[in-house]
Amino acid sequence: MQVQSMHFKQRAGQKLADVRLQKNLRKLAEKFVTARSAAIAELDDFEATRDAAVERRNRVLATLDVWLQTFERNATAHGATVLYAQTHEDAARLIVEIAALHGVRKVTKSKSMVSEEIGLNHAFGAAGITPVETDLGEYILQINDNEAPSHIIAPVIHKDKEEISDLFARVHGLPRKTEITQLTREAREVLRGHFLSADMGVTGANFLIAETGSAAVVTNEGNEGMCTIMPPKVHVVLTGIEKLLPTLEDLATLMRLLPRSATGQQISNYLSLLTGPRRASEVDGPEHMYYVLLDAGRSALIGGEFQEMLRCIRCGACMNHCPVYQNVGGHAYGWVYPGPMGSVLTPAFVGLENAGDLPNASTFCGECAVVCPVKIPLPDLMRKLREQQVERGLRAKRERVALTVWLALARRPRLYALIAALSAHTLSRLAGKTKLLHWLPFGSGWTKGRDMPAPAGRTFRALYRMREQKKSNVGD
């Protein structure tokens, strides 16, 4: 997927002006935020479970190489082949080579954000292989000229039923339907033929279990099972190297948090544990199973100040609760991962110089950190990225000059207090009786879209001194 994150500001403006998108995005709060709140309230030991999840994820990341070796050994013992990809291009090439090895012409895919990272559908197309998305949301996007997902768990949250009805009627060439059950059935009937005729299935993995060499895949539609146990003779699991958990007990802990944080469900509709290809005694399953484990910048985070980001379990809770995401949607972020987690992951994976304003796409309200089930300090990480942007000269010159001036003043308290008092007084006079500033020197970007409340006319220090003096006079 081509990186467009450097255009965040321009895209955000377009999304804010899109009335239909604004209406559709309100579903986030109505659906996911409310549901998560209710699901979390049912857990008496929610905070203890979060602490346990953090400890288990940290334990893996501290010795990731050891757990990868353990996973590879056990997966291989069950007949699977484990391959490692250093880059996005490596991963796409490996999967296309697997397809060529087995003479694959059609691939059914279950939802996988890592496949978006590596541009897998494009790679399949270039090799003459037909990929078919089978998650309903991803299927809708694919038949809409390969549109990118807008959300990591609800990829078409930006579309309403009417848009999808029009799309189905145009692409399927059938009478337009308006009921969700009718639309779902129509998609199911189209996809069923692809499930039966595909040669290979590609899925992601929510977690990899080291002690069993298994992939744990969570879905609500059951399409993952159709991609792995129907005719496809080859199953490829594509995921990042950080998705490891040591044991099934660790998986049980994380599964108490994942559905609740993602969709507000106590449990997901389907949880599959896939361990190796079909045995001689089994009636279904693939004949060959491969794991393609992607690095693409992940190992570079180990031991660094952004390592905590690797705890992420891709639940989407941070974006559901983010006031920025709630207003601009996922496409404004310009790459695979939107919202607060994307504002950290995108610079980490594609380079800070390509991430534009993403570290600044936050109100710093802190809600993303509050709802993160594995306690990733997202605002702190975005603040560190902002520091790096300034240090590397990646911010606009006027912004760097302003910060340099502010730093010089902050180191001289008396001068700082004097400038602050003069500024507060001047701005208060400029605002007049309305006490609102319609224009701000050097800050027109703020007042262009809204008025700024004027300062009270006196600084906090001045007001504090007045209060203390008043108390002293009363004491006398």
Side-chain angles (χ1 to χ4, degrees):
M1 184 175 174
Q2 189 175 5
V3 182
Q4 298 288 328
S5 300
M6 65 290 290
H7 304 305
F8 175 81
K9 212 175 237 184
Q10 178 188 353
R11 286 173 169 236
Q14 294 169 353
K15 302 304 178 188
L16 286 169
D18 187 331
V19 176
R20 192 169 199 170
L21 174 68
Q22 295 300 309
K23 180 182 176 184
N24 292 338
L25 288 175
R26 282 200 284 275
K27 289 182 287 188
L28 282 169
E30 295 168 2
K31 187 175 181 181
F32 294 135
V33 173
T34 304
R36 175 197 170 274
S37 178
I40 294 301
E42 294 171 351
L43 280 179
D44 293 333
D45 59 346
F46 174 61
E47 286 303 324
T49 305
R50 287 178 84 196
D51 290 338
V54 171
E55 186 277 326
R56 289 162 196 261
R57 293 293 290 145
N58 283 343
R59 180 153 47 93
V60 169
L61 296 174
T63 51
L64 185 60
D65 54 341
V66 175
W67 291 113
L68 280 170
Q69 291 170 8
T70 304
F71 171 79
E72 180 181 353
R73 184 170 59 251
N74 291 326
T76 303
H78 285 98
T81 301
V82 180
L83 303 171
Y84 295 92
Q86 191 65 35
T87 66
H88 294 145
E89 292 76 17
D90 291 342
R93 176 180 52 77
L94 284 170
I95 296 174
V96 170
E97 287 177 357
I98 293 168
L101 177 67
H102 295 284
V104 170
R105 306 307 303 166
K106 181 187 287 186
V107 177
T108 48
K109 291 178 62 202
S110 183
K111 192 166 89 61
S112 160
M113 298 311 291
V114 177
S115 79
E116 298 287 339
E117 266 192 65
I118 69 173
L120 186 57
N121 284 1
H122 178 75
F124 277 142
I129 299 167
T130 303
V132 180
E133 298 287 352
T134 64
D135 173 271
L136 179 58
E138 293 282 350
Y139 172 72
I140 291 168
L141 296 176
Q142 185 180 27
I143 64 173
N144 192 35
D145 198 21
N146 292 307
E147 183 181 358
S150 176
H151 192 289
I152 62 172
I153 61 166
V156 288
I157 191 74
H158 59 296
K159 290 188 182 300
D160 56 39
K161 188 178 64 174
E162 298 306 312
E163 290 179 88
I164 297 168
S165 294
D166 292 339
L167 176 67
F168 273 27
R170 175 166 55 83
V171 175
H172 294 162
L174 296 171
R176 187 175 185 273
K177 302 176 179 64
T178 56
E179 295 299 320
I180 291 177
T181 52
Q182 293 176 324
L183 293 167
T184 305
R185 182 174 183 83
E186 184 172 308
R188 184 182 297 127
E189 289 174 352
V190 171
L191 288 172
R192 188 58 56 97
H194 292 301
F195 284 126
L196 292 169
S197 59
D199 310 297
M200 185 166 93
V202 174
T203 71
N206 294 87
F207 301 103
L208 300 172
I209 313 303
E211 71 170 353
T212 60
S214 308
V217 185
V218 179
T219 69
N220 274 322
E221 300 173 17
N223 56 309
E224 161 276 326
M226 304 287 276
C227 290
T228 59
I229 64 173
M230 295 289 282
K233 59 186 179 184
V234 185
H235 175 206
V236 176
V237 179
L238 168 66
T239 192
I241 57 173
E242 82 283 13
K243 291 293 188 71
L244 275 167
L245 289 175
T247 66
L248 291 172
E249 184 180 342
D250 296 320
L251 174 65
T253 298
L254 270 297
M255 284 305 298
R256 298 189 74 199
L257 297 175
L258 178 59
R260 286 182 167 89
S261 302
T263 54
Q265 296 169 281
Q266 293 177 338
I267 58 173
S268 61
N269 290 348
Y270 298 90
L271 167 59
S272 300
L273 281 172
L274 307 168
T275 309
R278 182 176 62 199
R279 283 86 167 166
S281 59
E282 295 174 337
V283 297
D284 55 27
E287 297 171 17
H288 308 275
M289 184 176 186
Y290 295 86
Y291 288 95
V292 176
L293 305 184
L294 178 68
D295 186 331
R298 288 160 172 82
S299 61
L301 302 183
I302 299 289
E305 55 187 344
F306 296 100
Q307 177 174 309
E308 290 181 285
M309 197 62 227
L310 295 177
R311 286 204 303 265
C312 180
I313 59 173
R314 308 292 195 267
C315 66
C318 61
M319 59 191 71
N320 295 343
H321 292 75
C322 175
V324 176
Y325 182 93
Q326 288 173 347
N327 282 280
V328 303
H331 288 163
Y333 291 80
W335 201 53
V336 179
Y337 302 108
M341 55 87 82
S343 293
V344 179
L345 275 183
T346 303
F349 287 173
V350 305
L352 190 54
E353 65 278 8
N354 296 315
D357 286 311
L358 291 195
N360 297 277
S362 170
T363 62
F364 271 18
C365 63
E367 190 68 6
C368 52
V370 170
V371 300
C372 177
V374 287
K375 296 188 174 183
I376 298 174
L378 289 159
D380 291 342
L381 299 183
M382 281 186 271
R383 190 177 294 111
K384 290 176 182 176
L385 287 169
R386 293 183 183 189
E387 292 171 1
Q388 290 187 4
Q389 281 186 320
V390 174
E391 291 167 0
R392 293 171 54 184
L394 296 176
R395 300 303 302 170
K397 185 176 180 180
R398 66 172 182 272
E399 187 176 319
R400 286 183 282 132
V401 169
L403 286 171
T404 303
V405 171
W406 180 85
L407 179 63
L409 291 174
R411 288 173 170 168
R412 297 168 177 81
R414 288 176 184 274
L415 182 59
Y416 186 95
L418 176 62
I419 297 294
L422 286 172
S423 300
H425 178 71
T426 303
L427 292 174
S428 179
R429 293 289 298 272
L430 283 174
K433 292 181 180 178
T434 66
K435 299 191 181 304
L436 291 173
L437 291 165
H438 309 299
W439 176 79
L440 196 62
F442 308 108
S444 59
W446 174 273
T447 52
K448 190 176 179 181
R450 51 201 174 302
D451 295 330
M452 179 176 176
R458 292 172 177 160
T459 64
F460 173 80
R461 286 185 175 192
L463 292 171
Y464 184 77
R465 274 198 303 271
M466 289 176 60
R467 193 185 76 163
E468 292 301 299
Q469 184 62 46
K470 190 175 181 179
K471 285 168 61 179
S472 176
N473 292 339
V474 171
D476 292 342

